[in-house]
Amino acid sequence: MIQTSIPELEQIATQVRRDIIRMVHAIKSGHPGGSLGCADFMTALFFNILNTTPENISENGAGEDMFFLSNGHISPVLYSVMARRGYFPVKELATFRFLGTRLQGHPSPNYHLPGIRVASGSLGQGISVAIGAALAKKANQDPNLVYVLCGDGELQEGQNWEAILFAAANKVDNLILVIDYNHKQIDGSIEEVCNLGNLHAKFEAFDWEVVEMQGNNMENVLKQMHKAKELTQKTKPIVVIMHTEMGMGVDFMMGTHKWHGSPPNDEQMKVALNQLTETIGDY
């Protein structure tokens, strides 16, 4: 675990957003909207919160925190943050979604990329996988935590609510679930497609500890994630309802679901990059 200052984290997150735009533009495929919205959280997670490093990461996660990306279509943000953190060369971001490369459109363990332990192309499975990993840590008396990020649209799938019920019933209190609550999915708004209702009340009813977080405010991300960590090991699983804006940082991508899975064209990429001040250096 490293401690990175808020200004440094914000600079990294800006560069991550540049990476996302350039990656999906180059291959003319990918999911920029949710990736941009989660850039602040993912930067904070890998540069400040997770108790793991590129040097000690292992396939079974023993002796370290583990992270699972359930909404695997936002792989651009995961790959960028991991590369910037040193898990693999930054220049490899240029291979995103090319056939046979390690950076597939949805993360896959088949390519032995450090930290990618399960495939997450099919939505709705990440919470269940994370619960299994958390129970394994308990069985092995490993005091480290398991984190999982899922999209709000995923919660329209029944398997998640079975898993949520199971986690509380079995006191899986070394688990932190983060929900990207941007209210948008590929077909429109969450409210139009299948309204989730009051998520806070629902998780409380399922006997989870609930934390609310502004996912595009770095200071609040750090504060609330550390609050979530303090709630672990107290008999209840923890959920962080993270309020984000899809497409955050690029004005024409914000406020709409249309950039869920659409890459920018040449002119749109130029406009987007002009809104994101380069701070570290493009690959």
Side-chain angles (χ1 to χ4, degrees), residues 179-216:
I179 300 169
D180 180 21
Y181 202 20
N182 60 30
H183 296 266
K184 299 176 184 67
Q185 59 190 109
I186 192 168
D187 291 326
S189 73
I190 292 293
E191 288 72 23
E192 294 169 334
V193 176
C194 185
N195 196 348
L196 294 173
N198 189 333
L199 275 186
H200 192 119
K202 284 182 178 178
F203 272 96
E204 284 190 336
F206 274 71
D207 206 23
W208 282 55
E209 291 283 4
V210 184
V211 176
E212 301 255 359
M213 179 171 81
Q214 299 303 317
N216 297 130

Side-chain angles (χ1 to χ4, degrees), residues 133-164:
L135 287 173
K137 284 194 176 295
K138 281 182 170 292
N140 294 326
Q141 297 183 327
D142 184 338
N144 289 281
L145 303 176
V146 175
Y147 296 80
V148 56
L149 173 64
C150 78
D152 46 8
E154 287 188 80
L155 295 181
Q156 295 163 347
E157 301 191 30
Q159 175 179 326
N160 286 307
W161 293 101
E162 293 179 41
I164 291 163

Side-chain angles (χ1 to χ4, degrees), residues 46-122:
F46 275 83
F47 282 84
N48 193 290
I49 296 166
L50 281 179
N51 181 29
T52 187
T53 67
E55 294 75 28
N56 72 0
I57 196 163
S58 62
E59 186 173 353
N60 65 13
E64 59 181 314
D65 287 347
M66 300 176 74
F67 170 71
F68 295 97
L69 180 69
S70 185
N71 47 341
H73 57 277
I74 68 166
S75 61
V77 66
L78 174 63
Y79 294 150
S80 172
V81 168
M82 291 182 70
R84 297 291 172 180
R85 180 66 179 85
Y87 287 86
F88 59 87
V90 172
K91 65 181 181 181
E92 195 171 345
L93 295 176
T95 70
F96 174 65
R97 273 186 175 250
F98 281 87
L99 186 65
T101 66
R102 298 199 295 176
L103 307 189
Q104 291 299 292
H106 294 73
S108 170
N110 293 344
Y111 297 89
H112 306 292
L113 194 67
I116 306 301
R117 299 179 174 95
V118 297
S120 53
S122 300

